Amino acid sequence: MIGSDGRLVQTAVIGSRNSGRAIILPTDADELTRWRRRHPAYTYWCGTQLGGCGNELSDRLYRDKVCHFAHRPHTSCHRTATGAASADHLFIKDDLAAWAGRNRLKGRATSRDLGTGPGDAVDFRVGEARQHVRFQFSKLAHAEWQQARQRLSSDAATLDWVFGPGTAQPETMEELYDEYGYLLRFRFETHGAVRRIRLRAEDPRRSTDWVPLDACAMTPAGLRVPGAEPRRRAGPGPTAETGARRAAAPVRRSREEQVLALKEALVSAAGFRTRPTWEALARSAGSDLLGLSVPDRVGLLAAVDQACGREGSPLLSALIRTGESDPPPYVGDVAAAVGCGTPATAAVLRRWCQREADRAFAVYGVPSRTAPPRLALTLDGQLAAQQSTEPAQRQTIVHVKGGPVRQPTARPKPGDLARAPGDAEIGHALRGARQRRGPRPRYAAALMALAEEALTRLPEPQRTELVVEMTATRRWLDSRPDTPAQKPKKSRRAMRIAAAKKTEAVKQSARVEKTQQRQQGKKAKNPLQGARPLPGVDDARPEKKPK
């Protein structure tokens, strides 16, 4: 079944509609077969703790595409999150319960709905010590986070906030860096039919290694991650140590040290899919960068990106934004300095930087993926016409008497297109097919055939993104008047009936043809045989003489 947002249903709960025991269905047919043999009595449900309808699901095994869960016929469900990550808030509750038991902590984990679903956050409370850890799954505005933090701190001795990928606002990160010196992060790794949490502490200049929950400890000062230097105080607000650090004059570093620190800060921001302001970079890479003039900033950023422009890597300077989320004008000067061209207008710079930011998120994100191509700039600073993702038509040279004659070949088939975009690039090719000019539906339909095959080979994050692009492309094709009309799909019963009718018609035609051949093979009868002769006919014949 495809979810309401176009994604395959990969998660369910075991046992009942209100169960909190989650499972990720194996996508491979052989793995699912082994899973069925090990757990023949399991029943699967679109659980209410997943935001589902509560109805029973069936596990569908396929050899030619991804295995997934499906609802029973005539079932209505409006569940939005259906991918492997949609049950992470249930998996973390299991991990926390096991971790608390091993460490003899009287703690309890509870999932929270903050407006977008039951898995927006998970709270872990240790009752006796009045310690509180919140795991943030959904993105929270900075003002909302401040209000929630003040409310939760009022009845907790210690409060730790652990953020998932892309859930912390830049302002929130800056405030936590200033107060504690680091930011706690979490992510999940898939192990068979479940997912396990990993944590680390992100320092403004470096990050610790990802570690399992068992490597962490609940201390009197709160949650402790190995490798992180604790620097906290009892309540919100800057510590005396932080105030002293702010009051101290910044230490001037060498240019090489500034470039290295700035690059590390930008790479860290790209890894967490955030676009920092220059002020946030100064807090992460060193306060001596805060008072730099615009020419000095351009020089440092150009030094960071000097190899990126030649090698095709994403320009990290494109991540920088202003308070209004627009790129600063001097980023265009950095692009020109590294040989990528000079954007002519603010709109061109905004779109160009957004593409470079997407490329940086793809390269430095966890997990990494194939980056989309860079947007080329013309000599006058405009965006170059988007290159078609369709391969150019090849020409065949036929050698005949009198010289070679060029003959254009037929339009590439889907099998030929498979050699142009790889599995990871098909999503970008579909997006480009919807945007390019000219006769697009035929090429987009060919890419859709390739995408169906790629779904069986891609891992979960890329597969989910590809399904979204396929859904958008399918809607786009249906809305275009120049899309070739497709015959409505028949049900299996209708197809069997049609095949039986066709077979019977063939047999009937064969019987008629055989009858005609049999009749043609017989000797034609004399129409006068058995009739009496006409008068005078036999009189003309000579009589036979008796022997």
Side-chain angles (χ1 to χ4, degrees), residues 40-267:
Y42 277 3
T43 58
Y44 308 107
W45 302 77
C46 187
T48 56
Q49 295 192 52
L50 294 174
C53 59
N55 291 305
E56 189 172 359
L57 301 174
S58 60
D59 53 338
R60 298 292 179 85
L61 188 148
Y62 298 97
R63 293 286 178 181
D64 55 344
K65 57 182 179 180
V66 176
C67 303
H68 57 81
F69 287 113
H71 284 79
R72 301 294 173 86
H74 311 295
T75 300
S76 177
C77 180
H78 300 284
R79 176 179 166 191
T80 57
T82 58
S86 61
D88 284 350
H89 62 289
L90 299 183
F91 290 130
I92 194 176
K93 290 173 68 176
D94 293 339
D95 284 350
L96 288 170
W99 177 68
R102 287 189 291 268
N103 291 272
R104 298 181 179 180
L105 296 173
K106 294 183 179 180
R108 182 181 179 182
T110 308
S111 58
R112 303 294 183 188
D113 188 345
L114 304 180
T116 61
D120 287 340
V122 171
D123 287 332
F124 179 72
R125 295 177 181 268
V126 181
E128 296 180 353
R130 296 180 56 248
Q131 293 182 304
H132 191 170
V133 182
R134 166 159 287 191
F135 295 87
Q136 187 71 39
F137 285 82
S138 62
K139 197 167 187 177
L140 198 64
H142 181 60
E144 296 176 346
W145 173 79
Q146 286 181 320
Q147 295 174 1
R149 186 190 187 199
Q150 185 176 5
R151 183 180 68 255
L152 297 177
S153 298
S154 61
D155 60 348
T158 62
L159 174 63
D160 292 280
W161 219 292
V162 193
F163 294 90
T167 60
Q169 298 286 353
E171 297 83 1
T172 305
M173 297 170 60
E174 295 171 15
E175 185 170 334
L176 290 174
Y177 284 156
D178 287 341
E179 183 172 347
Y180 298 112
Y182 57 81
L183 180 74
L184 295 179
R185 295 277 191 178
F186 73 87
R187 72 178 186 185
F188 282 84
E189 296 179 358
T190 303
H191 296 272
V194 299
R195 283 162 65 83
R196 299 301 182 199
I197 190 173
R198 296 290 185 271
L199 292 88
R200 79 172 182 184
E202 174 193 332
D203 189 83
R205 298 189 183 181
R206 63 179 182 86
S207 299
T208 62
D209 296 331
W210 291 104
V211 296
L213 193 58
D214 284 336
C216 305
M218 183 62 75
T219 67
L223 183 64
R224 178 72 181 275
V225 176
E229 294 296 334
R231 179 167 59 83
R232 64 171 65 243
R233 59 177 215 86
T239 61
E241 181 182 351
T242 304
R245 181 174 58 85
R246 285 181 174 177
V251 179
R252 187 70 179 181
R253 296 170 295 176
S254 65
R255 180 182 175 85
E256 291 75 13
E257 293 175 337
Q258 289 179 333
V259 170
L260 181 60
L262 186 58
K263 184 174 183 179
E264 290 179 354
L266 287 170
V267 169

